[in-house]
Amino acid sequence: MRRPFIAGNWKMNLDRAQAVALAAGVAQRSAEFGAVDVAVCPPSVYLAAVHESVAGSPVGVGAQNIYFEVSGAFTGEISAAMAVDVGCRYVILGHSERRHILGETNEDVNRKVVAALAAGLIPIVCLGELLAEREAGQTADVIRQQFDGSLAGVSAEQINGIVLAYEPVWAIGTGKVATPDQAEEVHTDLRKILADRYNTAVADAVRIQYGGSVKANNAADLLAQPNVDGALVGGASLKVEEFMGIVAAAAK
């Protein structure tokens, strides 16, 4: 059975004191839910402080992005090794806000995936369609293209160290949520894609999170779907009780 995984993407929010307090609150509550993997992904400037705040707890820390080069003249970027050096276990890659606001391509995401794996990080690779693409019946094609491009050259052994996150762009920060059936349909398609490229054992093992306006009051129905293995949580991860309510739903 795949172990549930709930990760909080704090995006560009909070100050240092708020980030440390939020991390401490999550760490304090996390022992109640030992059957669920939990991670928090603060802004990069707070990674070290948050790592210290969750020390001794099962909570993992993730970066929201890395650059694919090892080092060099890349002003404003951080490398995979730097993320590891400040305590990161995970890194979010290919989030729709980076794809659609900052112009990241599947090739960019792929290069970052390769760099993350080489550094020992667990990539959380995001995939998802625009509203216009869903309305045009293109969801399956878009997900396939993003999967093939973002995970090009990834071996069967490597894919077992990757988490996928289905995040329909139209549901991120909008208050709209994919229905449990809509989420399950795409997650099922992703398992078929995994089985086609690798094998059924790999498809059965890889965890696929759902992301897009997940809250404590809708998490249970989404997480009850057989192919939904957790959630990548945005705004609801900024409050301890709301976030831990989602973790509690996963624990059930």
Side-chain angles (χ1 to χ4, degrees), residues 13-248:
N13 292 296
L14 310 177
D15 60 25
R16 186 181 186 281
Q18 290 169 332
V20 168
L22 176 57
V26 171
Q28 185 175 26
R29 294 283 310 279
S30 63
E32 301 173 30
F33 307 104
V36 181
D37 286 340
V38 178
V40 292
C41 303
S44 61
V45 291
Y46 304 140
L47 283 168
V50 166
H51 179 253
E52 291 178 8
S53 188
V54 302
S57 81
V59 177
V61 176
Q64 296 178 17
N65 182 48
I66 57 165
Y67 196 57
F68 49 77
E69 296 286 0
V70 174
S71 63
F74 305 105
T75 301
E77 298 289 349
I78 64 170
S79 70
M82 290 174 179
V84 171
D85 195 35
V86 292
C88 288
R89 186 185 310 168
Y90 304 97
V91 59
I92 301 170
L93 297 175
H95 192 281
S96 69
E97 290 157 4
R98 295 203 61 86
R99 291 180 186 266
H100 298 291
I101 297 175
L102 299 171
E104 286 191 5
T105 65
N106 289 329
E107 182 182 8
D108 293 331
V109 177
N110 182 237
R111 295 175 78 176
K112 293 179 179 188
V113 168
V114 171
L117 291 170
L121 289 168
I122 299 172
I124 301 171
V125 180
C126 301
L127 313 163
E129 82 282 13
L130 299 167
L131 179 59
E133 292 167 336
R134 171 164 281 275
E135 290 177 340
Q138 298 171 341
T139 297
D141 290 338
V142 170
I143 297 300
R144 166 72 79 163
Q145 290 168 4
Q146 290 180 345
F147 180 96
D148 287 344
S150 301
L151 296 165
V154 173
S155 70
E157 181 179 2
Q158 290 173 318
I159 197 70
N160 281 313
I162 290 175
V163 175
L164 301 180
Y166 168 54
E167 290 208 316
V169 181
W170 47 271
I172 297 173
T174 64
K176 297 179 181 179
V177 187
T179 66
D181 286 344
Q182 287 173 323
E184 175 64 12
E185 181 180 15
V186 177
H187 284 230
T188 300
D189 285 346
L190 277 167
R191 294 221 187 274
K192 292 176 182 175
I193 292 170
L194 286 162
D196 288 346
R197 181 188 283 191
Y198 302 107
N199 54 58
T200 55
V202 166
D204 289 342
V206 172
R207 294 186 290 184
I208 307 175
Q209 298 174 316
Y210 170 77
S213 298
V214 179
K215 298 178 174 62
N217 64 7
N218 62 29
D221 289 340
L222 289 162
L223 295 168
Q225 301 305 305
N227 287 296
V228 177
D229 306 315
L232 182 57
V233 185
S237 69
L238 299 176
K239 296 180 180 179
V240 173
E241 290 306 315
E242 183 74 17
F243 184 61
M244 297 314 296
I246 298 170
V247 175

